[in-house]
Amino acid sequence: MHSCSSKITIRKPIPQDGAAVWQLVKHAGSLDLNSPYAYLMACEMFADTSAVACVDDDVVGFATGFRKPQHPDTLFIWQIGIDPVYRGQGIGKQLLKNVIQQEKHHRIHYVEATISPNNTASRQLFLRLADELDTPCFVANHYEPNWFPADTPHDAELLYRIGPLLS
């Protein structure tokens, strides 16, 4: 395990990061764990709209996202996770800002994510990011708990929409 004082670098993911991202999600325990294949694909096919945070060669955080096909000016953040050892250092905001900066030349005007009401860290992250970018953050109901399979209980998911982003 690395000390929290180690230098953190943010970069685009590569397919080989998929296993480390999957392990991080599994270890963090607070995110929906998808198949390892999903993380390999995200690190390859959505590398331009995703980022990883590394200490030395170890992935300690990630953000995966994509441009919404029906709304190409909107970047949807699918998941963001930070190794518990590195939480509270602003890595999540650094990851999001990195992805937004990568996508600026593609005319991204909005950033969205769905967040469950009990996910205080993600809610605060999006509200702080909107404040720092000097733009509003709108919150609306999005996915209802009964839309998820009955044998996998899930909280509601609220849509957080930041924007419009100023150039």
Side-chain angles (χ1 to χ4, degrees):
M1 190 165 298
H2 296 280
S3 75
C4 292
S5 61
S6 298
K7 180 166 173 40
I8 295 168
T9 57
I10 309 288
R11 63 169 172 78
K12 280 185 180 185
I14 57 174
Q16 293 86 341
D17 292 325
V21 170
W22 183 83
Q23 286 289 348
L24 196 145
V25 172
K26 185 177 177 187
H27 175 66
S30 57
L31 295 169
D32 289 338
L33 181 62
N34 296 285
S35 75
Y37 185 74
Y39 295 104
L40 291 172
M41 286 193 326
C43 289
E44 177 190 18
M45 297 180 192
F46 301 107
D48 288 342
T49 51
S50 300
V52 291
C54 299
V55 172
D56 300 321
D57 291 329
D58 296 328
V59 174
V60 300
F62 73 95
T64 55
F66 56 89
R67 293 176 71 195
K68 291 177 78 170
Q70 298 86 354
H71 303 281
D73 69 338
T74 301
L75 173 67
F76 185 85
I77 300 298
W78 172 41
Q79 281 189 318
I80 186 164
I82 310 299
D83 184 305
V85 171
Y86 291 91
R87 289 182 186 156
Q89 298 183 46
I91 296 171
K93 190 164 51 167
Q94 289 177 50
L95 286 162
L96 288 177
K97 288 172 78 173
N98 178 278
V99 173
I100 291 167
Q101 190 61 40
Q102 287 181 55
E103 284 298 296
K104 273 214 173 191
H105 65 282
H106 292 295
R107 297 190 180 113
I108 293 297
H109 296 121
Y110 298 93
V111 179
E112 292 182 349
T114 60
I115 303 171
S116 66
N118 63 359
N119 188 339
T120 304
S122 290
R123 286 190 354 254
Q124 290 177 345
L125 170 62
F126 269 75
L127 294 172
R128 283 193 312 266
L129 181 64
D131 188 52
E132 189 172 309
L133 296 174
D134 196 28
T135 194
C137 180
F138 298 98
V139 181
N141 289 333
H142 198 66
Y143 294 132
E144 298 297 327
N146 63 345
W147 294 3
F148 293 90
D151 61 343
T152 55
H154 201 288
D155 291 332
E157 291 279 335
L158 303 176
L159 180 68
Y160 281 65
R161 181 175 170 88
I162 297 174
L165 302 178
L166 306 174
S167 300

